């Protein structure tokens, strides 16, 4: 067995048995708080459970909302037209092994989408996650979320900055993400969503969005 380097300090400690007991207690108490979170959270709240803590989200700026809506609209139009699966926006709570997230936009391919039911409130890891940055969420979007999404096999992850009007496309490479350079033409070509290729500018330009939806661009 190859020892994970993250475990070495614990395994090499003479206090290993007590550390294991302490970790077990921490985990059990955290999961009790998680169950209480499920009972407490309501459909009108945007909240996440991350590393044992409840994270409440403040109202978003208009620009953040506009970009999120544009991503959903363009992606969902393509997915519906080609019958590729299911696209969700904002209030889709994803249950990971430890944490629960509500990303801005998610996509489930045909296989995963087929297992979803209309009354579902907790969802498995999807095939694509999109996070639109805000000042209060950027550290988590680039930190624990990025790491956790990769560990759970989310094949593609976009980080969109509404202020700089840029998109970072990350593709899964083993258990980590690799930044995928965008085309010189400014096109974003998804791997998780077959056939979805779009100018990054479309996420920020309402006129271009309409042209894309009408098939004029």
């Amino acid at each position: 067995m190859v020892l994970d380097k993250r475990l070495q300090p614990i395994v090499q400690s003479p206090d290993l048995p007590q550390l294991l007991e302490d970790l077990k207690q921490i985990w059990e108490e955290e999961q009790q708080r998680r169950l209480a979170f499920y009972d407490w959270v309501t459909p009108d709240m945007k909240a996440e459970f991350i590393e044992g803590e409840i994270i409440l989200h403040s109202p978003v700026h208009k620009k953040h909302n506009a970009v999120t809506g544009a991503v959903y609209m363009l992606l969902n139009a393509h997915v519906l037209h080609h019958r590729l699966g299911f696209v969700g926006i904002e209030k889709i709570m994803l249950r990971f092994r430890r944490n629960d997230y509500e990303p801005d936009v998610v996509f489930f391919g045909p296989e995963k989408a087929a297992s979803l039911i209309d009354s579902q409130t907790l969802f498995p890891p999807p095939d694509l996650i999109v996070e639109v940055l805000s000042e209060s969420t950027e550290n988590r979007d680039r930190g624990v979320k990025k790491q956790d999404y990769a560990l759970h096999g989310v094949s593609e992850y976009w980080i969109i900055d509404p202020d700089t009007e840029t998109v970072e496309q990350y593709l899964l490479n083993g258990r980590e993400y690799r930044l995928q350079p965008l085309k010189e033409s400014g096109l974003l070509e998804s791997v998780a969503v077959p056939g979805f290729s779009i100018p990054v500018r479309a996420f920020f330009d309402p006129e271009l969005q309409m042209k894309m939806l009408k098939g004029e661009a």
Side-chain angles (χ1 to χ4, degrees):
M1 176 181 178
V2 178
L3 181 64
D4 190 315
K5 64 181 180 181
R6 296 171 298 177
L7 298 177
Q8 287 180 350
I10 296 176
V11 173
Q12 294 172 352
S13 171
D15 202 23
L16 173 63
Q18 184 60 52
L19 291 174
L20 291 176
E21 287 296 321
D22 291 346
L23 287 171
K24 181 181 178 182
Q25 182 176 348
I26 290 170
W27 174 253
E28 290 176 349
E29 291 176 353
E30 182 177 302
Q31 293 309 298
Q32 289 299 314
R33 293 197 301 275
R34 191 181 194 184
L35 292 175
F37 166 71
Y38 294 152
D39 290 334
W40 170 80
V41 70
T42 61
D44 60 326
M45 301 169 63
K46 186 166 175 66
E48 299 177 307
F49 189 83
I50 303 176
E51 297 178 340
E53 301 295 332
I54 295 175
I55 308 297
L56 286 173
H57 292 268
S58 58
V60 298
H61 294 161
K62 176 178 177 292
K63 190 169 187 178
H64 182 288
N65 184 262
V67 172
T68 301
V71 173
Y72 172 78
M73 178 174 59
L74 294 165
L75 188 59
N76 193 49
H78 177 83
V79 169
L80 287 176
H81 180 71
H82 296 283
R83 299 182 180 182
L84 297 174
F86 171 71
V87 181
I89 183 170
E90 288 196 334
K91 292 299 296 173
I92 300 295
M93 183 170 285
L94 305 178
R95 178 178 169 85
F96 284 36
R97 186 172 184 183
R98 182 182 183 188
N99 301 316
D100 299 284
Y101 304 108
E102 288 191 339
D104 292 305
V105 179
V106 297
F107 164 73
F108 296 87
E111 183 177 346
K112 292 182 180 180
S115 69
L116 304 179
I117 61 176
D118 290 343
S119 60
Q120 193 148 345
T121 57
L122 291 175
F123 294 77
D127 296 292
L128 166 69
I129 291 179
V130 182
E131 295 282 13
V132 180
L133 295 180
S134 64
E135 186 176 349
S136 62
T137 66
E138 182 169 5
N139 287 340
R140 287 190 295 272
D141 291 343
R142 295 189 179 281
V144 61
K145 289 188 175 185
K146 183 181 175 186
Q147 181 183 14
D148 212 3
Y149 296 166
L151 289 175
H152 283 80
V154 178
S155 61
E156 189 168 351
Y157 178 37
W158 303 349
I159 295 179
I160 300 182
D161 190 329
D163 293 323
T164 61
E165 298 188 347
T166 55
V167 178
E168 297 170 26
Q169 180 188 26
Y170 293 92
L171 301 179
L172 194 60
N173 182 27
R175 290 165 60 87
E176 297 179 341
Y177 282 122
R178 179 186 72 252
L179 180 63
Q180 177 75 8
L182 298 181
K183 304 292 184 181
E184 291 183 6
S185 59
L187 281 179
L188 171 66
E189 296 183 352
S190 176
V191 172
V193 187
F196 187 74
S197 178
I198 192 168
V200 167
R201 185 66 199 153
F203 295 142
F204 313 102
D205 185 336
E207 291 187 10
L208 184 53
Q209 290 165 25
M210 294 307 300
K211 289 181 179 179
M212 296 296 299
L213 291 172
K214 293 178 180 179
E216 298 174 355

